[in-house]
Amino acid sequence: MHTSCEYCGREGFYGEKIYESHKWIIYLAPSQRYLGTCVVALKRSCRDLNQLNKDEWIDFGELVILLEKAVSKTLNPTLFNWSCFKNSAFRSKNPKPEVHWHFIPRYEKKVKFDDIDFQDPDFGFIPQPVQRIIPEKTYLKLKNLIQKQLI
């Protein structure tokens, strides 16, 4: 089945899938400017948060707890930012926004992972959409590390 949703995984993937609940899928984001950044996407097509049903909200709440615990154990961030942006969908003529959440761990101090330094230059401020692609070996190591805590 193919759709135009960039997050649900039915047509390509947004990063690597690391976990799937009843209603949501967690992807490790391709950009790792903020180490451990993920996208949590609803499995069904849904434009706005007010269209989520009770079961989807409950499942999302359980996923928040699971993901925050997993990343806390493995990467020890200072805090977590959650955001629900759909702006990029409106860059096209026929926008089809889909509900998804950006999960962004934030770090007050420099972190070293797989011999790479990660500095959070915006700590205490809104995360900036600056892309940072890490080596594939490091990306897969990060994926496996978080994934082991989620299963």
Side-chain angles (χ1 to χ4, degrees):
M1 175 193 309
H2 292 287
T3 69
S4 61
C5 177
E6 72 176 307
Y7 300 105
C8 69
R10 289 177 283 201
E11 180 183 300
F13 289 92
Y14 184 81
E16 292 279 331
K17 182 169 86 170
I18 58 174
Y19 187 80
E20 189 169 341
S21 69
H22 296 294
K23 306 287 182 183
W24 301 87
I25 301 172
I26 301 174
Y27 298 98
L28 183 63
S31 177
Q32 289 296 311
R33 182 171 199 230
Y34 307 98
L35 185 64
T37 296
C38 295
V39 170
V40 180
L42 187 62
K43 288 182 177 181
R44 71 174 178 92
S45 183
C46 181
R47 179 185 167 103
D48 294 307
L49 289 174
N50 66 17
Q51 297 170 343
L52 292 175
N53 63 46
K54 184 177 179 180
D55 289 340
E56 290 163 341
W57 279 114
I58 290 169
D59 195 43
F60 178 71
E62 291 169 356
L63 206 85
V64 167
I65 293 166
L66 185 67
L67 185 56
E68 287 188 359
K69 282 183 179 178
V71 173
S72 288
K73 270 184 168 178
T74 57
L75 301 172
N76 196 30
T78 308
L79 64 101
F80 302 104
N81 286 164
W82 286 89
S83 58
C84 185
F85 298 124
K86 298 178 285 178
N87 299 322
S88 64
F90 290 90
R91 294 178 193 149
S92 65
K93 276 190 167 186
N94 292 320
K96 292 184 173 91
E98 295 284 343
V99 169
H100 63 279
W101 294 89
H102 296 265
F103 168 77
I104 306 169
R106 303 300 303 272
Y107 302 87
E108 187 172 21
K109 297 179 180 164
K110 182 171 58 174
V111 176
K112 188 178 272 303
F113 180 78
D114 202 32
D115 293 325
I116 298 173
D117 289 333
F118 291 85
Q119 187 86 31
D120 186 341
D122 313 305
F123 186 79
F125 296 91
I126 296 170
Q128 298 302 303
V130 175
Q131 192 174 51
R132 180 176 184 188
I133 303 300
I134 59 176
E136 185 175 0
K137 140 184 126 48
T138 303
Y139 181 83
L140 293 175
K141 185 175 181 178
L142 179 61
K143 174 195 167 204
N144 291 333
L145 183 70
I146 296 171
Q147 193 170 43
K148 283 179 187 173
Q149 295 297 320
L150 292 170
I151 298 172

